[in-house]
Amino acid sequence: MKNTPDNSPKNKIEQTLDKVRPFIRSHGGDITVAKVDGTTATLVISGRCVGCALVDLTYDRMLRSLINESVPEITEVIFKHGKKI
């Protein structure tokens, strides 16, 4: 049996996040995919991003747009706060 790439929405989101994680981590933060349920993805913001004044701009606008473009089957992205450093 031939191996095929995982084209699930969760994997597509992970691939999209991998492109921006170096930037986020350089600022002491991180983001993970908590779950994908149908057309909704829940992501967890952690590290120094929790409580940052720019978190809404970075995550709500930038990442939501990137995910909507890269994974059109995801129509809602929910950001939750995880551990703060």
Side-chain angles (χ1 to χ4, degrees):
M1 187 162 101
K2 186 178 178 182
N3 275 341
T4 58
D6 180 1
N7 287 326
S8 68
K10 183 174 182 177
N11 192 53
K12 290 179 187 177
I13 294 168
E14 287 288 356
Q15 291 173 354
T16 301
L17 294 177
D18 284 345
K19 295 175 186 175
V20 296
R21 277 190 178 115
F23 171 76
I24 293 168
R25 288 178 177 160
S26 74
H27 290 266
D30 205 357
I31 186 164
T32 56
V33 180
K35 71 177 179 176
V36 175
D37 186 20
T39 60
T40 301
T42 303
L43 309 179
V44 177
I45 301 164
S46 60
R48 290 191 178 145
C49 292
V50 176
C52 173
L54 297 176
V55 75
D56 288 336
L57 176 66
T58 303
Y59 288 98
D60 195 42
R61 292 187 184 172
M62 183 183 79
L63 283 178
R64 189 180 311 272
S65 294
L66 283 172
I67 291 169
N68 287 340
E69 289 172 16
S70 302
V71 194
E73 58 265 46
I74 296 298
T75 58
E76 182 177 11
V77 180
I78 299 168
F79 294 102
K80 296 196 174 197
H81 293 269
K83 287 182 158 183
K84 184 175 182 177
I85 295 178

